[in-house]
Amino acid sequence: MTYEEFADARLGALLRYAVMLTGDPHQAQDLVQETMVRVQLHWRRVARSDVPERYVRRMLTNQFIDWRRGSWARRVLLRGEVDDSVPATADHAQSAVDRDQVRSWLARLPRRQRAALVLRYYEDLPDGEIAEILGCAVGTVRSSISRALATLRAELVEVS
């Protein structure tokens, strides 16, 4: 498989994964672009791996965790408060609101915990693969996910 074939086949999935990590489509594009440049520079090593997509996903995850460029690491999302006096309606916009709320909660988590949750629940990977991608022990993955879920539960209680 060539780099071009890999990029054509997997770029969309990598971008969706990056959007879940960053919570912002534009930052996700920057993250994927920077990662894919590195992938192209090291394509021989990537292609020799057993599963190139897993290798690239690990590169992307590490890049996300370590990304310190510009004000991205200090970025704060400003959103208005929800007006509880307005009755809720069941329309298609509610799914977008729910998605934004989940992204907002994910953005408050430490990057490793966020990555572990996205790999588990969005990418549907088992603990062993998550540990390989994050470069840690399986127990650390389980602990990170447990702490992240506890934090999200506390956020949900505060909102309710």
Side-chain angles (χ1 to χ4, degrees):
M1 172 184 290
T2 67
Y3 170 79
E4 291 77 16
E5 291 170 339
F6 176 82
D8 285 343
R10 301 308 309 155
L11 197 59
L14 291 170
L15 185 58
R16 286 188 299 275
Y17 172 60
V19 168
M20 292 304 296
L21 287 177
T22 64
D24 181 285
H26 301 291
Q27 290 175 355
Q29 289 173 351
D30 290 345
L31 179 62
V32 170
Q33 180 178 349
E34 193 168 319
T35 302
M36 292 306 286
V37 167
R38 291 179 182 199
V39 169
Q40 186 176 26
L41 292 172
H42 303 287
W43 180 247
R44 287 185 189 152
R45 186 178 342 153
V46 172
R48 283 192 309 256
S49 68
D50 293 337
V51 184
E53 183 179 358
R54 189 179 308 156
Y55 192 99
V56 172
R57 192 181 296 147
R58 181 173 183 174
M59 289 175 72
L60 189 132
T61 303
N62 289 338
Q63 183 70 20
F64 166 72
I65 291 170
D66 295 336
W67 211 5
R68 301 284 186 248
R69 193 175 54 156
S71 64
W72 190 76
R74 296 181 304 273
R75 182 170 176 236
V76 177
L77 294 174
L78 300 175
R79 298 185 192 244
E81 294 296 319
V82 176
D83 185 2
D84 290 333
S85 65
V86 177
T89 58
D91 67 316
H92 62 77
Q94 186 61 43
S95 64
V97 170
D98 293 343
R99 191 170 38 252
D100 284 345
Q101 182 64 58
V102 169
R103 286 182 180 157
S104 173
W105 287 338
L106 285 173
R108 295 181 191 140
L109 293 173
R111 291 173 186 243
R112 262 188 191 279
Q113 288 181 9
R114 187 181 337 166
L117 279 182
V118 170
L119 288 166
R120 165 66 62 75
Y121 296 106
Y122 185 74
E123 294 290 320
D124 197 28
L125 296 179
D127 292 341
E129 285 186 38
I130 297 170
E132 184 179 321
I133 290 169
L134 295 177
C136 62
V138 172
T140 304
V141 168
R142 291 179 182 150
S143 173
S144 293
I145 290 172
S146 177
R147 287 185 180 129
L149 290 174
T151 301
L152 292 177
R153 279 188 207 104
E155 293 282 336
L156 185 59
V157 168
E158 286 180 17
V159 170
S160 299

